[in-house]
């Protein structure tokens, strides 16, 4: 197995405008002029000779050390077997190979990350040459609002990202959120982990990338004071907000008067806390409406999120009545009904979308005079109300489909105002005081 090093420069002849031949540059006598590159043989592919190229290096010694290390890795089987594959090509192959086992929304999310960030930024970077600096500059270009703070390479990356978004260089740059940057890095790290397992890499650079801090989104309850401030200024105290028991009751009362389908859906969301897509994917065969009822939820996150939980007598009664109503709707003469078996289908029998759910939630909240919350915040309501009812934390965690109850306590469960008031009064009572 052989390796070689050579020095190159790209100076041009001012008369012919062509690059000098090797060694003919007037500056060639300067040992520091140009860059050093190395080549070495790889294992034969289909009987044909294959070489890999390393560099550039500032000195001959650096190039020789690099090629010696590469030859040593080749001999013990740690060299990439597809040396000319780019990072973007590998990530694309990883995404497509996992398409069959992912949900449609998961695949679309990963494909969008590849198309908008990885392909334009790392499409020319070879998999075997990727370093943490490539990733650090990509994340700096994604998240920075100050172009002057970026180096030349990061500015080029920003232009490529802008073009991938279909925008011109003159349009305003919209930086990515820290959460989005973490998602991009997680995608790259997962794809490179597969490359390490396949023997294409000896380490995963994404593990050592410098990532921005994701601000903690503190979940808050819509107290009367916060609701009044929102009506006056239009600003939400936090991205994640939860209704009180009284506010949730007003919302359910209005939904019951408005549409039976909506009332059944939102009552299930507020009392049992399934994710939005989990509710929309529910089919009648997943339900058992005997006694307190059972529902098998096919998780949208991981296999661990699949679970079977009780519905409760109130949800059972609502679902039974809704099933009768839905059957009578589809049997109406001249009705164009799509037989889909979805529990919360629209008026034509087709599956409801997340946008329709979000739109209906906002419309009913406005009619009830309530401050706004997101569809996902209904899970926060369910967790908080369950805690107020004295439910054990492990039971709440299992209801929500979480891996452990510590995550449930840290993320979803908020202290309701009434609980806080009771705690304050209890502390006062246990302190002995001298009679006045």
């Amino acid at each position: 197995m052989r390796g070689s090093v050579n020095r190159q420069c790209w100076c041009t002849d001012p008369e012919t405008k062509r690059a000098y031949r090797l060694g003919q540059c007037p500056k060639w006598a300067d040992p520091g002029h140009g860059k050093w590159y190395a080549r070495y043989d790889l294992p034969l592919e289909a009987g044909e000779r294959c070489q890999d190229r390393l560099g550039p290096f500032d000195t001959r010694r650096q190039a020789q050390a690099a090629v010696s290390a590469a030859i040593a890795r080749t001999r013990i089987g740690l060299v990439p077997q597809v040396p000319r594959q780019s990072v973007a090509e590998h990530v694309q192959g990883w995404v497509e190979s996992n398409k069959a086992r992912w949900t449609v929304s998961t695949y679309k999310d990963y494909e969008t990350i590849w198309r908008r960030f990885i392909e334009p930024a790392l499409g020319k970077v070879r998999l075997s040459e990727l370093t943490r600096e490539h990733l650090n500059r990509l994340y700096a270009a994604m998240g920075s609002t100050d172009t002057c703070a970026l180096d030349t390479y990061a500015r080029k990356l920003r232009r490529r990202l802008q073009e991938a978004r279909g925008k011109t260089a003159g349009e305003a740059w919209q930086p990515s959120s820290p959460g989005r940057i973490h998602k991009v890095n997680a995608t790259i790290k997962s794809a490179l982990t597969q490359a390490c397992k396949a023997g294409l890499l000896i380490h995963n650079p994404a593990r050592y990338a410098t990532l921005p801090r994701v601000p903690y989104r503190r979940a808050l309850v819509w107290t009367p004071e916060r609701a009044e401030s929102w009506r006056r200024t239009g600003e939400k105290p936090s991205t994640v907000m939860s209704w009180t028991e009284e506010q949730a009751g007003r919302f359910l009362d209005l939904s019951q008067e408005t549409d039976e389908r909506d009332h059944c859906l939102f009552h299930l969301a507020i009392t049992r806390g399934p994710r939005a897509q989990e509710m929309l994917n529910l089919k009648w065969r997943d339900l058992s409406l005997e006694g307190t009822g059972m529902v098998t939820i096919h998780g949208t996150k991981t296999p661990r999120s699949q679970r079977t939980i009780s519905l409760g007598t109130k949800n059972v009664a609502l679902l039974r009545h809704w099933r009768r109503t839905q059957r009578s709707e589809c049997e109406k003469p001249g009705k164009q009904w799509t037989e889909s078996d979805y529990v919360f289908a629209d008026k034509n029998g087709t599956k409801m979308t997340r946008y329709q759910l979000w739109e209906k939630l906002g419309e009913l909240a406005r009619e009830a005079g309530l401050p706004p919350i997101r569809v996902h915040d209904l899970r926060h309501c369910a967790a908080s109300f369950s805690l107020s009812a004295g439910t054990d934390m492990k039971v709440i965690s299992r209801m929500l489909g979480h891996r452990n109850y510590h995550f449930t306590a840290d993320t979803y469960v908020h202290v309701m105002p009434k609980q806080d008031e009771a705690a304050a009064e209890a502390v006062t009572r246990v302190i002995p005081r001298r009679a006045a």
Side-chain angles (χ1 to χ4, degrees):
M1 189 172 294
R2 297 176 300 175
S4 62
V5 297
N6 58 19
R7 182 158 57 107
Q8 295 182 9
C9 76
W10 296 267
C11 300
T12 57
D13 189 326
E15 296 181 359
T16 63
K17 306 300 182 183
R18 294 182 179 180
Y20 287 111
R21 291 186 177 182
L22 185 63
Q24 292 184 352
C25 176
K27 301 179 182 179
W28 192 255
D30 180 6
H33 181 66
K35 295 290 183 179
W36 288 88
Y37 291 84
R39 288 183 180 275
Y40 67 100
D41 291 331
L42 290 170
L44 297 180
E45 294 185 1
E48 297 182 0
R49 184 185 181 189
C50 183
Q51 284 191 328
D52 196 9
R53 186 168 181 254
L54 303 175
F57 301 98
D58 294 329
T59 65
R60 181 188 185 95
R61 180 174 296 180
Q62 292 176 351
Q64 288 176 333
V67 75
S68 298
I71 291 174
R73 290 196 300 270
T74 303
R75 286 173 175 166
I76 61 175
L78 292 178
V79 71
Q81 298 299 309
V82 191
R84 302 196 183 281
Q85 186 182 48
S86 70
V87 178
E89 290 172 342
H90 176 75
V91 175
Q92 183 185 24
W94 174 78
V95 170
E96 295 302 325
S97 65
N98 287 281
K99 181 179 180 179
R101 69 183 186 89
W102 287 339
T103 62
V104 175
S105 59
T106 300
Y107 169 76
K108 286 183 178 179
D109 193 21
Y110 280 121
E111 194 276 334
T112 301
I113 290 175
W114 171 83
R115 176 169 38 84
R116 294 186 60 179
F117 300 103
I118 300 174
E119 199 281 331
L122 303 175
K124 297 182 180 180
V125 179
R126 290 168 59 180
L127 182 63
S128 58
E129 296 178 354
L130 180 68
T131 65
R132 64 187 294 268
E133 290 304 318
H134 288 102
L135 301 178
N136 288 343
R137 288 174 175 175
L138 168 60
Y139 303 149
M142 289 175 58
S144 177
T145 57
D146 184 10
T147 307
C148 298
L150 303 176
D151 58 21
T152 305
Y153 183 80
R155 291 195 190 103
K156 291 181 180 179
L157 291 181
R158 173 172 289 188
R159 286 196 294 270
R160 294 175 192 169
L161 296 177
Q162 189 83 325
E163 292 172 359
R165 296 182 180 182
K167 297 183 179 181
T168 61
E171 294 186 63
W173 167 258
Q174 296 294 330
S176 300
S177 66
R180 193 60 168 169
I181 295 174
H182 277 257
K183 182 66 175 178
V184 172
N185 186 72
T187 302
I188 296 175
K189 184 165 68 173
S190 296
L192 296 186
T193 297
Q194 188 271 338
C196 293
K197 292 179 180 179
L200 303 181
L201 291 176
I202 59 175
H203 78 288
N204 191 337
R207 293 180 57 188
Y208 312 103
T210 303
L211 300 173
R213 287 188 61 183
V214 178
Y216 177 67
R217 298 187 301 175
R218 184 186 178 193
L220 299 175
V221 179
W222 275 117
T223 59
E225 294 76 16
R226 289 172 182 151
E228 178 60 30
S229 175
W230 166 76
R231 292 188 180 92
R232 189 173 61 254
T233 64
E235 296 181 1
K236 292 175 62 177
S238 175
T239 307
V240 184
M241 300 298 297
S242 176
W243 283 330
T244 62
E245 293 94 331
E246 291 79 5
Q247 291 167 338
R250 286 166 53 191
F251 176 82
L252 291 176
D253 289 341
L254 179 63
S255 68
Q256 187 174 19
E257 299 170 1
T258 305
D259 191 313
E260 187 177 348
R261 176 194 297 102
D262 297 335
H263 178 62
C264 187
L265 186 154
F266 287 122
H267 192 280
L268 177 64
I270 290 177
T271 56
R272 304 307 291 155
R275 298 178 179 89
Q277 202 60 47
E278 291 173 344
M279 285 191 298
L280 299 181
N281 289 340
L282 275 182
K283 295 190 175 182
W284 287 110
R285 63 172 177 262
D286 300 323
L287 303 177
S288 172
L289 302 181
E290 300 296 330
T292 57
M294 300 291 288
V295 56
T296 300
I297 297 176
H298 302 283
T300 59
K301 304 285 281 185
T302 64
R304 294 189 180 187
S305 62
Q306 299 184 15
R307 58 203 184 276
T308 299
I309 60 175
S310 298
L311 286 169
T313 54
K314 182 62 175 178
N315 280 315
V316 168
L318 291 173
L319 286 166
R320 281 179 176 175
H321 194 272
W322 166 238
R323 184 169 59 178
R324 290 193 295 268
T325 304
Q326 191 182 64
R327 286 174 178 174
S328 63
E329 280 186 356
C330 68
E331 293 172 357
K332 289 181 179 179
K335 180 74 173 182
Q336 293 183 350
W337 181 267
T338 302
E339 193 61 44
S340 61
D341 197 42
Y342 284 112
V343 176
F344 301 114
D346 63 13
K347 296 181 179 179
N348 296 321
T350 57
K351 180 181 176 181
M352 286 182 64
T353 65
R354 293 174 64 95
Y355 177 77
Q356 290 174 316
L357 181 59
W358 169 80
E359 193 175 40
K360 179 58 69 173
L361 174 63
E363 179 183 338
L364 290 174
R366 285 190 296 271
E367 290 183 17
L370 297 172
I373 63 172
R374 306 170 305 160
V375 174
H376 194 74
D377 293 339
L378 298 176
R379 277 169 66 81
H380 296 255
C381 293
S384 300
F385 300 159
S386 298
L387 181 64
S388 298
T391 308
D392 184 80
M393 187 66 69
K394 289 187 177 181
V395 177
I396 298 175
S397 180
R398 181 177 174 275
M399 176 187 76
L400 297 176
H402 290 161
R403 182 166 53 182
N404 56 66
Y405 65 90
H406 298 292
F407 178 79
T408 308
D410 293 340
T411 308
Y412 282 91
V413 179
H414 336 299
V415 177
M416 290 282 107
K418 287 185 177 179
Q419 289 179 299
D420 200 28
E421 292 172 8
E425 294 298 329
V427 170
T428 304
R429 287 195 298 268
V430 300
I431 300 176
R433 298 295 305 276
R434 186 173 54 190

